[in-house]
Amino acid sequence: MAGLTLKNIQKIYPNGYHAVKDLNIDIKDGEFVSLVGPSGCGKTTTLRMIAGLESISGGELWIGDKLANNVAPKDRGIAMVFQSYALFPHMTVAANIGFGLKIKKVEKKIINEKIEWALDLLDLNGLGDRKPSQLSGGQRQRVALGRALVLDPEVLLLDEPLSNLDAKLRIKMRTELKRIHKQLKSTIIYVTHDQAEAMTLSDRIVVMKKGELMQIGSPSEVYNKPANKFVAGFIGSPPMNFIEGELIKDGENYIFKYNGNVYKLPSYLKDVIKEKIKGKEVVLGVRPEDFEISLQPIENAIEGMSIVTETLGSDDYVAVEVNKKLLSVRIEPDSNFPLDRKVYLTPKEEKFHIFNK
Amino acid sequence: MNTALKKEDKWNKFKEGLKKNSFLIWTLLPGFLYIIAFFVIVAFFLLKLSLTSYNGGMTQESLTIANYLKLIESEEFRTAFVRTFIFVLITTPLQLVTGLIGAILINKKFKFRGVVRSILLLPLAIPTIVTTATLLLLFSKGGHITSLLMGEYPWFPKITQHEISFLNKESLALGISILGKVWRDTPISMLILLAGLQSISEEQYEAAKTMGSTTIQNFFYITLPLLVPSISSVLVLRSIEAWKEFIFPYILAPSYPVLGVLIEKYYVQMFDPGTASAIGVILIIVILIGTTVLNWILKKMQSYLVKI
Ligand SMILES: Nc1ncnc2c1ncn2[C@@H]1O[C@H](COP(=O)(O)OP(=O)(O)OP(=O)(O)O)[C@@H](O)[C@H]1O
Ligand SMILES: [Mg+2]
């Protein structure tokens, strides 16, 4: 088993595109780490550099205690599931899964056992003799997963392995992945678009944007203490509400001025502002579930109009227009919230985020 | 009564089907007519001709297998058949190998790839008659190769005293025909195989690479089985071409006729179109059997390569 260290990793493609900029990540042995970020931010590129399929333009990659920059892919102890599966179209499902073992000259009996194990684990029973072209997208994805799992890799690299599954199967596979991770104890690096998936699966989450590292932390860290506005907006669903405005010093404390209105900031924000904020222009951030909403006037509140309510399964939200923008606020389910009324919002204690604009 | 009704029913259904699929039928019609004109009719007359015996161009007898019997008894035919078979057995795999090497070469990215590709395609652009004439000039009595080997050029060491008559020895004459044939037709195999190679996604090799598959294993487990359709096209097309080869042996090895040359001999020189057609029919049958066997072997090979 092996940990993994990325030191100042860079990727510049031959056409000059700087896809990954100065990435520093330290992954512990056996850790489940997710790479999240919008499309094109360099997740696949990072994974391919770790796998050895893409040369590293700068920096150091350590796998275990070995500098791996120039180690051949097969000697890195990794297995990868490709975003586009990369199954062998001419081989049956079973032959696909067994291919790596056949190459490693494993005994035939053991190969067959492993294939059976994988088919069973991935709910592919009875499909062993089919060709990939006779499978659904989700089934193909699971075959790709099986092909990697049977190799008992020290580091498992997964590039959006669940993206094509339906919601139900995806949740089942999430649980399976967690179980597999527990059972195999391999280090897993997991690329996904889906921040909810990253939150439920990972020990730590790496948030990237345009090739740059935005934040690394446990799911609760990136959720509760986002390092910047990008992370705050990317993690969480529905996303965090943002209000733009400016900061005015008022003795010891600060006042937030937005569109002619003012709001006195609580005193605990003082230290955060001193530490992080540069300049006057700032953005306040509050998650939908962190607002108290009231129909009675409250002193020092953010005023707005209730516009519509919507329900997202278990939770109901009301959209409140503040400053010509809609904020989403969680409300009691089935509360029949009155619309087109003036409402007063106050963020809950310690649930206020403030970012540079 | 009942059956008559059924018949009418069927007829109506048939008419309905015609109406429904009229677009399909009209679009397929040209292809259908083409097959009738250039295949069915030709094959029919060929068969009819082969069953007609001409006795020295004077009398003729229809629906007889005399031509076939004559051929089976003819020493010349049997030798030509074996000769043609050997010709097929050598040129077909050889063209596959040269085509594959060329295709793999220009499928890689390197400087001057365009130039190399053009050079490899050149043989196609040269008329066959020019190619054969060139080979004739090189290898015939007093030709350049003989002069070269006899030390008539100052920059080349003298290798032999006696003139080698390349075209008067069966193995050499046929060998040179094979050389010309392979050289001329390699680009066709190469293009077919290149298309096959380019349809294999790079990611499959990458996936195999992470599993430790070597270049040679990649070739046998991924490239080769995925190329089977292209390989099959090459082998089928090339073997058919080789079975009915005419121009190279006709010019370079006239004393050692293959079946194609024999057809010309019967038809043109001996005024015996019946026997010539019989050879043609035999060729068609042999080719049909040959391609069936070939495809069967390829399928076996593919399933052997991809099994667990
Ligand atoms: N071979 C290449 N040459 C040049 N640029 C490339 C190459 N491959 C990827 N890129 C660019 O690098 C950036 C990162 O690509 P990458 O595939 O890593 O994104 P990603 O985060 O995996 O996105 P997605 O979530 O859509 O899969 C993209 O802007 C892409 O256009
Ligand atoms: Mg990607």
Side-chain angles (χ1 to χ4, degrees):
Chain A
M1 301 292 115
L4 211 77
T5 306
L6 280 70
K7 262 194 208 159
N8 307 102
I9 291 287
Q10 309 264 351
K11 178 65 197 183
I12 303 171
Y13 276 112
N15 65 1
Y17 186 75
H18 207 153
V20 173
K21 296 166 194 156
D22 207 26
L23 207 53
N24 284 291
I25 310 176
D26 211 343
I27 297 166
K28 287 191 276 298
D29 181 12
E31 205 174 5
F32 195 125
V33 172
S34 290
L35 248 54
V36 299
S39 187
C41 72
K43 305 180 296 286
T44 299
T45 306
T46 306
L47 218 57
R48 287 171 58 84
M49 284 195 282
I50 296 172
L53 296 172
E54 207 70 72
S55 66
I56 297 171
S57 313
E60 293 175 0
L61 169 71
W62 292 78
I63 298 179
D65 48 10
K66 251 192 353 196
L67 182 63
N69 281 39
N70 295 315
V71 174
K74 69 177 165 71
D75 299 323
R76 294 189 183 200
I78 54 108
M80 179 157 169
V81 173
F82 290 72
Q83 193 166 4
S84 53
Y85 328 131
L87 295 177
F88 306 120
H90 54 294
M91 296 183 200
T92 61
V93 166
N96 262 287
I97 294 175
F99 184 77
L101 298 169
K102 178 177 163 184
I103 291 292
K104 291 194 165 69
K105 304 228 156 57
V106 175
E107 221 180 297
K108 223 175 190 170
K109 201 178 126 237
I110 298 176
I111 296 183
N112 284 328
E113 278 170 20
K114 281 250 177 186
I115 292 172
E116 279 309 310
W117 169 81
L119 289 176
D120 205 42
L121 177 74
L122 298 168
D123 220 352
L124 291 168
N125 286 312
L127 300 182
D129 293 327
R130 292 225 197 142
K131 291 275 176 69
S133 60
Q134 298 163 322
L135 299 179
S136 73
Q139 289 168 332
R140 284 179 215 179
Q141 222 154 19
R142 280 177 281 157
V143 175
L145 198 57
R147 192 173 64 173
L149 286 178
V150 294
L151 296 171
D152 290 331
E154 297 189 353
V155 181
L156 187 56
L157 306 172
L158 306 174
D159 198 349
E160 312 208 13
L162 308 185
S163 60
N164 277 323
L165 306 187
D166 62 58
K168 200 172 141 212
L169 195 56
R170 187 187 304 213
I171 287 167
K172 184 186 163 221
M173 287 299 298
R174 269 188 213 166
T175 323
E176 283 300 337
L177 263 181
K178 271 223 117 126
R179 213 194 71 211
I180 291 164
H181 178 228
K182 232 173 156 179
Q183 194 182 332
L184 303 178
K185 299 196 177 62
S186 357
T187 309
I188 294 184
I189 304 181
Y190 187 91
V191 166
T192 176
H193 267 103
D194 182 348
Q195 50 87 28
E197 202 166 280
M199 298 287 279
T200 49
L201 281 171
S202 337
D203 297 322
R204 282 194 301 159
I205 295 178
V206 175
V207 186
M208 291 175 71
K209 177 195 174 189
K210 290 189 183 151
E212 279 178 280
L213 181 68
M214 294 281 112
Q215 186 173 7
I216 311 181
S218 68
S220 86
E221 266 169 359
V222 292
Y223 189 80
N224 294 315
K225 296 195 178 68
N228 52 41
K229 189 184 164 210
F230 176 80
V231 177
F234 192 79
I235 302 283
S237 168
M240 188 183 275
N241 298 299
F242 295 114
I243 311 166
E244 295 181 1
E246 60 185 64
L247 219 50
I248 296 168
K249 189 121 175 130
D250 174 34
E252 272 289 281
N253 292 325
Y254 288 90
I255 289 177
F256 179 65
K257 197 171 158 208
Y258 63 99
N259 209 27
N261 304 317
V262 290
Y263 180 76
K264 266 190 229 137
L265 294 177
S267 58
Y268 68 80
L269 275 174
K270 208 165 56 190
D271 299 335
V272 183
I273 292 172
K274 247 186 218 139
E275 198 184 312
K276 286 201 324 196
I277 303 300
K278 299 178 194 80
K280 272 169 66 178
E281 308 262 298
V282 293
V283 180
L284 282 192
V286 183
R287 294 200 183 277
E289 67 269 29
D290 293 337
F291 274 123
E292 306 274 12
I293 187 164
S294 163
L295 293 165
Q296 315 307 326
I298 295 179
E299 205 192 323
N300 194 33
I302 296 164
E303 286 176 31
M305 289 290 281
S306 61
I307 305 290
V308 289
T309 54
E310 59 175 350
T311 179
L312 283 179
S314 57
D315 295 318
D316 285 9
Y317 296 84
V318 58
V320 176
E321 190 184 311
V322 176
N323 221 353
K324 297 212 179 64
K325 273 194 182 163
L326 292 181
L327 305 186
S328 138
V329 178
R330 189 164 82 188
I331 48 172
E332 291 286 309
D334 305 320
S335 58
N336 236 337
F337 197 87
L339 299 179
D340 297 318
R341 289 272 300 273
K342 205 156 192 163
V343 292
Y344 302 84
L345 303 172
T346 44
K348 288 181 191 159
E349 192 70 13
E350 303 277 341
K351 296 289 190 186
F352 229 134
H353 303 275
I354 184 159
F355 307 104
N356 290 305
K357 199 178 166 191
Chain B
M1 169 74 204
N2 207 357
T3 49
L5 216 128
K6 252 187 196 159
K7 236 182 194 168
E8 195 154 293
D9 240 27
K10 262 188 190 163
W11 175 239
N12 280 338
K13 250 189 196 156
F14 178 72
K15 276 204 293 199
E16 226 170 77
L18 274 186
K19 236 188 213 161
K20 244 194 214 155
N21 297 318
S22 66
F23 177 74
L24 217 64
I25 291 168
W26 280 110
T27 43
L28 284 178
L29 201 63
F32 198 62
L33 291 177
Y34 178 87
I35 289 178
I36 289 185
F38 288 95
F39 186 76
V40 178
I41 294 178
V42 172
F44 174 77
F45 280 107
L46 182 73
L47 196 63
K48 190 174 161 227
L49 205 56
S50 77
L51 293 174
T52 310
S53 168
Y54 295 84
N55 298 319
M58 308 304 281
T59 57
Q60 67 180 68
E61 188 188 338
S62 291
L63 286 180
T64 157
I65 55 166
N67 292 330
Y68 292 93
L69 292 176
K70 188 165 84 191
L71 281 174
I72 288 166
E73 271 165 25
S74 150
E75 178 73 33
E76 189 185 28
F77 171 77
R78 276 180 288 167
T79 328
F81 188 89
V82 173
R83 200 178 279 135
T84 313
F85 191 46
I86 293 170
F87 189 85
V88 172
L89 281 187
I90 298 177
T91 50
T92 313
L94 208 55
Q95 284 181 6
L96 178 69
V97 172
T98 53
L100 196 55
I101 292 172
I104 289 174
L105 190 71
I106 54 177
N107 195 34
K108 290 223 158 49
K109 286 196 181 83
F110 58 90
K111 253 189 178 170
F112 307 121
R113 175 160 78 157
V115 179
V116 172
R117 182 161 37 197
S118 306
I119 290 174
L120 288 176
L121 290 181
L122 210 59
L124 269 190
I126 298 172
T128 318
I129 196 68
V130 175
T131 310
T132 43
T134 310
L135 284 170
L136 199 61
L137 271 176
L138 284 174
F139 288 102
S140 62
K141 234 173 159 188
H144 291 291
I145 300 287
T146 328
S147 312
L148 189 75
L149 295 179
M150 289 177 70
E152 280 174 27
Y153 296 111
W155 46 267
F156 199 83
K158 188 169 176 168
I159 293 204
T160 169
Q161 294 279 359
H162 310 285
E163 186 165 347
I164 306 169
S165 44
F166 286 100
L167 302 182
N168 289 330
K169 209 167 163 231
E170 181 169 3
S171 56
L172 284 178
L174 280 175
I176 291 163
S177 311
I178 288 171
L179 182 79
K181 177 80 180 153
V182 170
W183 183 80
R184 200 205 97 101
D185 284 352
T186 288
I188 301 174
S189 327
M190 189 179 82
L191 288 179
I192 296 174
L193 292 167
L194 184 63
L197 279 179
Q198 285 177 341
S199 69
I200 305 176
S201 83
E202 189 57 34
E203 275 197 341
Q204 287 181 51
Y205 294 112
E206 289 183 337
K209 206 161 143 192
T210 63
M211 297 178 209
S213 181
T214 61
T215 314
I216 293 176
Q217 284 172 320
N218 276 350
F219 179 78
F220 281 105
Y221 294 145
I222 300 174
T223 313
L224 204 55
L226 282 174
L227 270 188
V228 162
S230 320
I231 290 175
S232 144
S233 309
V234 167
L235 290 183
V236 167
L237 285 175
R238 294 299 92 208
S239 63
I240 292 174
E241 277 282 311
W243 273 112
K244 59 194 192 64
E245 178 55 25
F246 172 69
I247 187 75
F248 283 100
Y250 182 70
I251 304 281
L252 296 167
S255 339
Y256 314 105
V258 292
L259 291 179
V261 176
L262 215 55
I263 292 177
E264 190 266 356
K265 188 177 164 189
Y266 274 106
Y267 197 91
V268 178
Q269 296 175 29
M270 293 163 70
F271 306 107
D272 188 354
T275 311
S277 312
I279 300 179
V281 171
I282 291 173
L283 260 181
I284 290 176
I285 292 168
V286 168
I287 286 171
L288 283 178
I289 295 172
T291 42
T292 311
V293 171
L294 207 71
N295 278 327
W296 182 80
I297 293 175
L298 282 172
K299 237 189 182 146
K300 284 273 151 200
M301 182 194 85
Q302 188 185 32
S303 60
Y304 173 78
L305 285 175
V306 301
K307 81 172 196 296
I308 303 158

